Amino acid sequence: TLTLTENTTLTAIFAAGEAPLLPYTRPVSRSGFGTICLPFGSEEFSGATFYEIAWQDGAYVYIDQVEVLEAGKPYIFYATANELTITANSTTADAPQNSNGLYGVFSAIDAASNFLKDKYIIYNNTVRLCGNNCSLPENRAYIILSEVPTAAPSLAPGRKRVNMSVYGENNATALDYITEESNMLPAGTYDLLGRKLQKANTPGFYIVNGKKVLLTQ
């Protein structure tokens, strides 16, 4: 505590040092797929296994497990706990990247923009086509299916490959008014951007305990 009795000029002198590696956390649904794209890299994470898109054959998208997360690169994850924690390393990216048709975003995509129409997102553990008014929270990713390779690459020793079903134009109606990973939010009431609410006050679509609900009055 410094008590001043007259006009005083104070000068701060900072010593060189390293910034702390802060963790990124997100509540998730155990045994559920989701997407993530962060502006930093990491070799330390818990609560999920991480994958990158490898190829697709029309009915399935195949993803290969990774052990290191690159800054700005989008990934698909499979939650193994109720909270995902990623510790940042010193590498950073100024803008999100894309990888084999998986496009990362740092900022949320608003439903009103219809930007996601005819693109794909991960919803209810499958790859699904977006219709009108699809939204996407920040630090997620969407898929442009036509850019996913159709030739299967070799699988490196020790890596795990899994697949996800694709629901598109020919076998499902395009999804409207959905938020990626809406089924992965904890119990409670949320808007379509994933923001938790005390209660739904106005008519519209909401996510209530993991289910999409239309409030009419």
Side-chain angles (χ1 to χ4, degrees), residues 124-146:
N124 284 343
N125 291 332
T126 57
V127 178
R128 296 204 176 224
L129 177 68
C130 275
N132 295 313
N133 300 301
C134 276
S135 61
L136 195 66
E138 62 185 10
N139 299 123
R140 266 71 164 182
Y142 61 88
I143 299 168
I144 297 181
L145 199 63
S146 61

Side-chain angles (χ1 to χ4, degrees), residues 200-206 213-217:
N201 294 316
T202 59
F205 282 91
Y206 296 90
V213 173
L214 173 60
L215 179 64
T216 57
Q217 60 181 7

Side-chain angles (χ1 to χ4, degrees), residues 46-84:
S46 62
T49 52
F50 293 84
Y51 300 84
E52 60 186 358
I53 288 183
W55 66 291
Q56 57 103 357
D57 65 3
Y60 299 97
V61 168
Y62 294 84
I63 55 178
D64 291 353
Q65 188 173 357
V66 299
E67 300 298 332
V68 175
L69 307 183
E70 298 178 26
K73 186 175 179 179
Y75 296 94
I76 294 170
F77 67 81
Y78 183 78
T80 56
N82 294 322
E83 183 175 74
L84 172 65

Side-chain angles (χ1 to χ4, degrees), residues 27-30 82 181-191 194-199 206-211:
V28 292
S29 176
R30 192 183 186 97
N82 294 322
E181 296 166 33
S182 62
N183 64 311
M184 303 180 67
L185 295 170
T189 300
Y190 299 80
D191 64 14
R195 296 173 296 200
K196 190 167 186 178
L197 308 172
Q198 292 298 320
K199 62 179 180 178
Y206 296 90
I207 303 161
V208 180
N209 296 330
K211 302 294 184 180

